[in-house]
Amino acid sequence: DVYKRQIHNSGTQLLSAINDILDIVKSESSGEDLNVQEIEFGQLMHRIIDGLSAEAASGGIEITNDVQQDGFRVRVDERKISRAMSNLLSNAVKFTEPGGKVRLQMASGENETLMLSIVDSGIGISPEDLPRIMERFEQADSSLSRGFEGLGLGIPLARALIQLHGGNIDLTSELGRGTTVQVTLPVISGDLA
């Protein structure tokens, strides 16, 4: 029974990695189709956080969500943008040590955009490694792969999917002090103040 569960989990992880690779390749090709609809972005973020709350709690990580649940709308492919945001939040939780914190904040940006910040108190990234983690199959430090699982696809996939929506992603970090991921997306309507 234990072996069956391990085989199933390994198969699920492999399928997820293959889907991530396919999504990156499709998003970089000109033929990628978006199933765009108008959604409440705050509600989407609350659902994603609910899905990660058990993992965060088991790791002793506090998630603070300052995002309003209602009040502004975006036109996105909900499945794709949900995947991007899930990857970013999952990374924040994964690379934050027990007792650490992850905080979500939102503000209105220029030119009718929303700016979502995911701020963690995790292990951080050195300045020279920041450009590397935006590339596929890269982690900030190869020695991290011994302590943290992953293929290095989460951030590149999130970036590709966010850019597909006309948005942008920016990272700032300090080694040993945490990382801030800032996502910018066009807004249809709403007051973020």
Side-chain angles (χ1 to χ4, degrees):
D1 192 41
V2 171
Y3 294 120
K4 286 181 186 177
R5 195 174 23 230
Q6 287 175 339
I7 291 168
H8 180 269
N9 289 343
S10 295
T12 301
Q13 289 174 347
L14 179 60
L15 180 60
S16 177
I18 291 169
N19 285 333
D20 285 350
I21 293 167
L22 290 174
D23 277 350
I24 289 173
V25 170
K26 285 193 296 187
S27 71
E28 290 176 350
S29 73
S30 58
E32 175 70 3
D33 290 327
L34 290 177
N35 181 18
V36 175
Q37 57 191 356
E38 190 173 316
I39 66 164
E40 291 277 347
F41 192 76
Q43 289 177 8
L44 173 69
M45 294 309 298
H46 279 262
R47 285 195 307 270
I48 292 169
I49 290 167
D50 286 346
L52 285 171
S53 60
E55 180 184 344
S58 71
I61 298 162
E62 177 187 340
I63 298 180
T64 304
N65 183 5
D66 294 336
V67 174
Q68 299 173 29
Q69 195 158 357
D70 295 311
F72 60 98
R73 303 183 71 75
V74 293
R75 286 186 55 79
V76 295
D77 183 317
E78 186 171 2
R79 185 186 71 80
K80 287 180 171 57
I81 213 70
S82 176
R83 184 110 177 250
M85 296 298 120
S86 293
N87 283 355
L88 295 174
L89 278 166
S90 179
N91 267 2
V93 169
K94 178 167 59 171
F95 290 103
T96 297
E97 295 176 343
K101 298 180 181 186
V102 174
R103 182 180 195 117
L104 272 75
Q105 301 169 306
M106 190 143 31
S108 56
E110 298 176 4
N111 302 321
E112 298 183 357
T113 60
L114 70 83
M115 295 181 353
L116 174 74
S117 296
I118 302 168
V119 182
D120 69 57
S121 63
I123 61 174
I125 305 160
S126 67
E128 59 271 12
D129 286 331
L130 273 173
R132 288 183 56 223
I133 66 164
M134 296 298 256
E135 300 300 322
R136 293 177 230 160
F137 307 111
E138 292 287 341
Q139 288 189 339
D141 180 350
S142 60
S143 66
L144 290 177
S145 61
R146 286 189 286 271
F148 298 95
E149 287 184 11
L151 294 175
L153 292 174
I155 291 176
L157 176 59
R159 181 181 69 168
L161 294 174
I162 289 164
Q163 287 176 340
L164 195 60
H165 287 84
N168 197 16
I169 181 172
D170 187 44
L171 280 86
T172 55
S173 187
E174 187 176 340
L175 197 57
R177 302 198 67 143
T179 301
T180 298
V181 177
Q182 188 163 313
V183 175
T184 305
L185 282 171
V187 173
I188 294 175
S189 64
D191 182 9
L192 302 176

